[in-house]
């Protein structure tokens, strides 16, 4: 298997992006007061940078913890990451890698090529099947992306229907589209823009996980910051004299809540967001990905294999599994659901989700599958503070829509979050860079 998930199709738009990663600001911010809404990595990065330059900063967070979509649970004896699991492209330029180094975090390279895929009958694929999948992927890449037109409004599904329809009826093709594209982009191929899906960029290096938990990187960003938990913001007022949020007045506000929350209209903006920004809120997609961790007394799988694929139907149903035994002593399998199946899975109770995922494991390992002794699940689209997992370029939308979040609004309101950086959207490093961008913009105004 030579497919590597995130990097195969990137077109390499590296230009201004590294500047966003720097944490030097144009001017000091002594004497200014800033409210940051949302204590995810974007909000914390903005707060930390502003405070280090002398600003008074208050972070208002709706939840009862910091980190938002970076959230680790160690109850299984190894990290269950509700949200971000990997540093994508952990090279020296990646600011998450730099944070990881700063806190001395232990990381482990998860080898995408260490993969066993099982067909619809639960039988392992043969060598020639992997070769066929490689060829299908290459062909798709050539036809769809390299000849893709920027103005193409079609979804990936619609484009494939025209150029490679047999892929959609081939179980191997369906698995590949889901486990690679739908996982990476966080939505169904029926909804993702064919033209823009792979126009973002990435850092180099094989993806790594944190063996002691992703949330270790939050400490340097949150130490000494006035974060007020359980403080949901419902209104942001901004004008020429300043801003007011939850009755607190300040000079500037950074709004770093997830795109799903903006779409839901949880926060009323006074005055309303400019129509171009509101259009971006409406037209950029926000999908979901569902995770289940099942812990067993004994492994019934090959503990030497990093990933297992299962060609399930409906497409996206628990079709990709991460084996924890490669980096811990825990007999844990982490299952993932993608695409249009993920919102279905998100709505299941923990018991129903467990039954559903166990059926998939039994389709491969039969009676060897024992009852799990611990289970953890995610339901991102059901959570009022998130309403989904991460943003994606939706069919019909444009890259320019993301760029509308980059400019200050009325020189008082600054948007941050993974959905505001097209080139690194849906990643922790993109979110962090957006927070630093907001801090830098405030410093240059003050
Ligand atoms: C399942 C899943 C898997 C992922 N995998 C990866 C991965 O492997 N690698 C990677 O790089 N990225 C991954 N991501 C994406 C990454 O986690 C996010 O891009 C990043 O963490 C987003 O940070 P943020 O600061 O923009 O938003 P968030 O972390 O969502 O922070 C926003 C904060 O705003 C708060 N909030 C919401 N509404 C309000 C309100 N009204 N008032 C006050 N506060 C509010 C929320 O509670 C939250 O704490 C994954 C995400 C998910 C969900």
């Amino acid at each position: 298997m030579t497919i590597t998930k995130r990097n195969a199709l990137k077109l390499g738009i590296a230009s201004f992006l590294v500047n966003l990663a720097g944490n030097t600001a144009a001017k000091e911010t002594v004497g200014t007061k800033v409210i940051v809404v949302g204590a995810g990595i974007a909000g914390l990065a903005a707060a930390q940078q502003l405070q280090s330059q002398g600003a008074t900063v208050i972070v208002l967070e709706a939840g009862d913890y910091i980190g938002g979509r970076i959230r680790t649970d160690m109850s299984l004896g190894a990290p269950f990451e509700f949200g971000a699991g990997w540093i994508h492209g952990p090279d020296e330029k990646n600011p998450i890698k730099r944070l990881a180094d700063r806190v001395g975090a232990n990381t482990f390279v998860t080898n995408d090529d260490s993969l066993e895929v099982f067909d619809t009958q639960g039988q392992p694929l043969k060598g020639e099947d992997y070769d066929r999948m490689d060829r299908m992927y290459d062909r798709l890449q050539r036809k769809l992306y390299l000849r893709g037109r920027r103005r193409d409004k079609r979804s990936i599904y619609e484009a494939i229907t025209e150029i490679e329809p047999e892929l959609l009826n081939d179980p191997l093709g369906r698995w590949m589209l889901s486990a690679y594209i739908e996982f990476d982009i966080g939505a169904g191929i029926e909804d993702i823009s064919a033209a823009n899906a792979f126009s973002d960029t990435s850092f180099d290096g094989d993806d790594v996980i944190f063996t002691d938990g992703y949330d270790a990187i939050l400490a340097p960003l949150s130490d000494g910051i006035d974060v007020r938990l359980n403080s949901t913001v419902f209104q942001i007022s901004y004008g020429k004299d300043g801003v007011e949020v939850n009755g607190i007045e300040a000079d500037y506000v950074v709004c770093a809540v997830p795109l799903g929350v903006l779409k839901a209209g949880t926060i009323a903006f006074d005055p309303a967001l400019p129509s171009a920004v509101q259009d971006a809120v409406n037209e950029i997609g926000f999908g979901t990905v569902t995770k289940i961790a099942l812990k067993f007394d004994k492994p019934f799988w090959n503990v030497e294999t990093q990933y297992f694929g299962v060609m399930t139907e409906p497409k996206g149903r628990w079709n990709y599994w991460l084996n924890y035994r490669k980096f811990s002593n825990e007999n844990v399998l982490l299952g993932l659901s993608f695409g249009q199946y993920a919102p279905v899975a998100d709505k299941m109770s923990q018991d129903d989700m467990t039954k559903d995922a166990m059926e998939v494991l039994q389709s491969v390992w039969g009676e060897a599958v024992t009852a799990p002794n611990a289970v953890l699940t995610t339901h991102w689209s059901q959570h009022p503070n998130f309403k989904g997992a991460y943003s994606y370029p939706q069919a019909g939308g444009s890259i320019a829509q993301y760029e509308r979040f980059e400019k200050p609004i009325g020189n008082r309101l600054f948007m941050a979050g993974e959905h505001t950086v097209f080139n690194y959207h849906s990643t922790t490093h993109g979110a962090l860079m957006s927070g630093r961008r907001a801090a830098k913009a405030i410093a240059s105004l003050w």
Side-chain angles (χ1 to χ4, degrees), residues 37-43 60-63 65-70 81-88 183 214 231-234 256-258 261 266-267 289-291 378 380 383-386 388-390 416-419 425-429 431 434:
V37 183
I41 196 164
L60 300 176
E61 164 57 47
Y65 69 97
I66 62 162
R69 281 171 275 171
I70 296 176
E81 307 292 359
F82 283 91
W86 285 265
I87 307 182
H88 294 305
F183 181 14
Y214 216 116
S231 303
T232 305
V233 167
F234 292 106
V257 300
V261 170
T266 312
I267 300 176
V289 165
T290 314
K291 295 185 182 180
T378 68
W380 285 102
H383 196 301
N385 297 345
F386 301 92
Y390 37 95
E418 57 84 15
H419 57 283
H425 66 81
S426 75
T427 65
T428 51
H429 47 272
S434 75

Side-chain angles (χ1 to χ4, degrees), residues 54 71 82 92 94 111 213 217-218 246 306 330 385 401 410 420:
R71 186 178 180 198
F82 283 91
E92 293 307 318
N94 187 324
N111 178 5
I217 60 166
L218 298 173
N246 280 16
Q306 182 66 84
E330 306 303 331
N385 297 345
Q401 284 165 341
T420 70

Side-chain angles (χ1 to χ4, degrees), residues 130-146:
Y130 293 99
D131 294 343
R132 189 163 76 82
M133 182 155 65
D134 279 358
R135 285 198 303 276
M136 280 198 290
Y137 203 68
D138 285 349
R139 208 167 51 240
L140 181 68
Q141 189 176 334
R142 260 197 327 274
K143 284 193 183 170
L144 186 57
Y145 303 116
L146 301 184

Side-chain angles (χ1 to χ4, degrees), residues 12-13 17 20 22 46 57 110 119 161 180 204 209 213 216 234 257 263 270 284 336-337 346 382 405 445:
I13 309 162
L17 304 157
L20 285 178
V57 181
T110 49
D119 69 15
T161 306
Y180 292 108
D204 283 336
I209 56 155
F234 292 106
V257 300
K263 281 180 180 291
D270 180 22
I284 296 172
L336 293 136
S337 276
D346 263 12
Q382 302 302 296
F405 289 123
L445 276 176

Side-chain angles (χ1 to χ4, degrees), residues 28-310:
E28 296 290 299
T29 50
V30 176
T32 188
K33 182 173 174 186
V34 184
I35 297 170
V36 175
V37 183
I41 196 164
L44 292 175
Q48 186 266 343
Q49 183 160 319
L50 286 160
Q51 185 160 301
S52 71
Q53 291 162 352
T56 301
V57 181
I58 296 171
V59 182
L60 300 176
E61 164 57 47
D64 59 3
Y65 69 97
I66 62 162
R69 281 171 275 171
I70 296 176
R71 186 178 180 198
T72 308
D73 181 320
M74 292 298 291
S75 64
L76 301 178
F80 174 69
E81 307 292 359
F82 283 91
W86 285 265
I87 307 182
H88 294 305
D91 72 12
E92 293 307 318
K93 292 197 203 92
N94 187 324
I96 300 293
K97 155 78 171 144
R98 294 209 290 256
L99 273 179
D101 288 346
R102 201 162 135 198
V103 297
N106 294 316
T107 56
F108 176 85
V109 179
T110 49
N111 178 5
D112 286 357
D113 294 338
S114 174
L115 169 73
E116 278 178 62
V117 183
F118 297 87
D119 69 15
T120 49
Q121 307 305 312
Q123 296 305 309
L125 293 194
K126 302 193 182 70
E128 64 251 34
D129 298 320
Y130 293 99
D131 294 343
R132 189 163 76 82
M133 182 155 65
D134 279 358
R135 285 198 303 276
M136 280 198 290
Y137 203 68
D138 285 349
R139 208 167 51 240
L140 181 68
Q141 189 176 334
R142 260 197 327 274
K143 284 193 183 170
L144 186 57
Y145 303 116
L146 301 184
R147 284 198 273 148
R149 296 180 302 266
R150 293 298 94 199
R151 291 209 191 101
D152 190 341
K153 295 287 179 202
R154 292 175 304 175
S155 68
I156 290 181
Y157 180 90
E158 287 167 329
I160 295 176
T161 306
E162 272 177 40
I163 60 175
E164 191 94 23
E166 58 284 7
L167 206 60
L168 297 167
N169 297 320
D170 180 337
L172 186 55
R174 289 169 69 75
W175 180 83
M176 179 197 80
L177 291 167
S178 181
Y180 292 108
I181 297 178
E182 293 186 335
F183 181 14
D184 189 12
I185 299 179
I189 52 168
E190 299 79 2
D191 301 310
I192 303 166
S193 156
N196 301 329
F198 293 96
S199 305
D200 57 337
T201 191
S202 60
F203 292 112
D204 283 336
D206 292 333
D207 295 353
V208 298
I209 56 155
F210 289 81
T211 49
D212 302 317
Y214 216 116
D215 59 358
I217 60 166
L218 298 173
L221 300 176
S222 57
D223 280 354
I225 305 287
D226 179 359
V227 181
R228 303 188 185 173
L229 299 176
N230 303 306
S231 303
T232 305
V233 167
F234 292 106
Q235 171 135 2
I236 294 177
S237 304
Y238 59 103
K240 64 179 175 34
D241 297 328
V243 304
E244 188 180 332
V245 182
N246 280 16
I248 307 168
E249 293 183 354
D251 298 303
Y252 303 105
V253 56
V254 177
C255 179
V257 300
L259 180 61
V261 170
L262 296 176
K263 281 180 180 291
T266 312
I267 300 176
F269 291 91
D270 180 22
L273 293 176
S275 58
V277 177
Q278 188 59 49
D279 287 350
V281 168
N282 299 341
E283 288 164 31
I284 296 172
F286 201 62
T288 197
V289 165
T290 314
K291 295 185 182 180
I292 186 167
L294 298 164
K295 183 170 174 174
F296 299 93
D297 291 338
K298 282 193 209 138
F300 46 81
W301 58 92
N302 178 0
V303 293
E304 297 305 321
T305 299
Q306 182 66 84
Y307 292 105
F308 299 102
V310 191

